[in-house]
Amino acid sequence: METTERNAARAAELFGEMGGVVRDGFPAIHSPVYHTASGTAYLKRPGVVVLTKPQTNVAGLGGFLEGFDPELRFPEYLEDPTELPDSSQLCKTAGQLCYASFGPRRTTNENAGAYFERLTSAGHGSVLEHASFSFVLYGISRSVTHELVRHRAGAAFSQISQRYVSGSVLRFVERPEYQEDEELHRLFEERADGAAAGYEEMAQRLLGRQGEGHAMLSADQKTDARKKVQQTARSLLPNETEAPMVFTGNVRALRHIIEMRADAHAESEIRGLALRLFLCLRTADPILFGDYELGDLPDGTVTVSTRNRKA
């Protein structure tokens, strides 16, 4: 219990230190935008915004529960005085339906933490798949998104298209390793300026060729014409280019992603993203994500782990 409380306090402290805010019950950790002397925009850390979370209508079970033998006292399930986060309530109801555990001998909401501990420690994570969260992720590079989108089970991704988006929204991401090193930081800014300028120069040249009737760049519609220029010019963009996305995952998938990507062996940039995902999720539902421990690495980054892996 002491370890759990210590980790809860540490998570809340980190959430605040990283600028975490909660508005109308939705946590977010935003990331400021920086600019080079030439005006090229870049970010130093991931931004995570909880976009959607479950809404659970337990009261709607009344007609279902009242249809059983009155001696079972199933409708008392609706009278539990302890309110849970909707995501925890959804998963707990799903698990208790499996055993018709609605009567007086059920695990009440007051003991929901112990209930989920028993499930996850035994590897019975299927009920966690019912609750999903959606996020806007930004301040993440193409390097990170190429790793993140490998998590296909229980996850969905809608990522910015460099074919359809012009260079006017082009931003870059500075890796953690560069930020405290004066020379590496300077070189990063020079690269960002060069990439932005190179992209713009190439786009202008391609537009010129398009106007001259270049066969591979010509198109009847303005949208298609613009796409042909941008899909060609994007070949100059580095992995340091920002690639924001909307990301959705069910709780089981999110736990797996956190365990894999907030691990000490994970790549540093995606570890920073996984940490922020965890902090937002733990703020939204401290029960489903209450079994995790935070650890410190020599480089100053933070790991997130649980003894109930792969639930």
Side-chain angles (χ1 to χ4, degrees), residues 174-241:
E174 183 178 17
R175 288 190 58 85
E177 294 86 348
Y178 304 154
Q179 295 173 20
E180 302 302 323
D181 186 297
E182 184 177 345
E183 181 184 19
L184 295 180
H185 172 70
R186 175 179 58 78
L187 291 172
F188 162 75
E189 287 200 335
E190 289 177 0
R191 276 198 311 279
D193 284 338
Y199 176 92
E200 182 60 28
E201 180 184 357
M202 180 57 71
Q204 292 303 317
R205 289 181 181 274
L206 291 167
L207 283 170
R209 299 296 192 278
Q210 194 174 68
E212 296 168 0
H214 192 293
M216 294 189 68
L217 294 171
S218 62
D220 294 330
Q221 302 295 325
K222 287 185 177 180
T223 299
D224 289 337
R226 185 169 64 249
K227 180 180 68 175
K228 288 193 173 185
V229 167
Q230 288 161 184
Q231 72 185 11
T232 306
R234 69 175 175 167
S235 63
L236 300 177
L237 296 177
N239 272 354
E240 292 170 315
T241 307

Side-chain angles (χ1 to χ4, degrees), residues 18-255:
M18 292 182 174
V21 295
V22 180
R23 292 182 178 172
D24 298 324
F26 288 85
I29 299 176
H30 285 290
S31 178
V33 179
Y34 300 84
H35 294 85
T36 68
S38 299
T40 304
Y42 68 94
L43 299 93
K44 295 186 176 184
R45 56 191 65 89
V48 175
V49 180
V50 176
L51 196 59
T52 67
K53 59 180 182 174
Q55 184 176 14
T56 305
N57 175 29
V58 178
L61 295 174
F64 166 65
L65 298 175
E66 290 163 4
F68 292 89
D69 187 332
E71 293 187 3
L72 295 173
R73 297 163 57 186
F74 278 4
E76 292 181 12
Y77 190 79
L78 308 181
E79 301 170 5
D80 197 310
T82 302
E83 187 174 349
L84 298 178
D86 283 349
S87 41
S88 285
Q89 184 66 72
L90 173 58
C91 295
K92 182 170 178 284
T93 299
Q96 291 182 309
L97 183 140
C98 293
Y99 300 96
S101 183
F102 299 115
R105 298 179 62 185
R106 73 187 184 279
T107 299
T108 61
N109 286 355
E110 183 181 12
N111 297 309
Y115 176 81
F116 286 113
E117 172 70 20
R118 290 195 297 273
L119 287 180
T120 55
S121 63
H124 296 321
S126 61
V127 298
L128 303 180
E129 296 176 10
H130 293 287
S132 295
F133 290 80
S134 295
F135 310 84
V136 168
L137 306 181
Y138 68 100
I140 52 176
S141 71
R142 295 284 289 190
S143 296
V144 161
T145 61
H146 274 45
E147 291 198 47
L148 187 60
V149 298
R150 293 168 61 193
H151 295 278
R152 295 303 305 150
F157 306 91
S158 295
Q159 186 173 349
I160 196 169
S161 171
Q162 291 180 345
R163 296 179 71 196
Y164 287 91
V165 175
S166 73
S168 63
V169 297
L170 198 62
R171 304 193 301 190
F172 299 89
V173 177
E174 183 178 17
R175 288 190 58 85
E177 294 86 348
Y178 304 154
Q179 295 173 20
E180 302 302 323
D181 186 297
E182 184 177 345
E183 181 184 19
L184 295 180
H185 172 70
R186 175 179 58 78
L187 291 172
F188 162 75
E189 287 200 335
E190 289 177 0
R191 276 198 311 279
D193 284 338
Y199 176 92
E200 182 60 28
E201 180 184 357
M202 180 57 71
Q204 292 303 317
R205 289 181 181 274
L206 291 167
L207 283 170
R209 299 296 192 278
Q210 194 174 68
E212 296 168 0
H214 192 293
M216 294 189 68
L217 294 171
S218 62
D220 294 330
Q221 302 295 325
K222 287 185 177 180
T223 299
D224 289 337
R226 185 169 64 249
K227 180 180 68 175
K228 288 193 173 185
V229 167
Q230 288 161 184
Q231 72 185 11
T232 306
R234 69 175 175 167
S235 63
L236 300 177
L237 296 177
N239 272 354
E240 292 170 315
T241 307
E242 185 194 23
M245 64 167 57
V246 170
F247 161 52
T248 299
N250 68 54
V251 169
R252 192 180 201 181
L254 290 167
R255 285 176 60 95

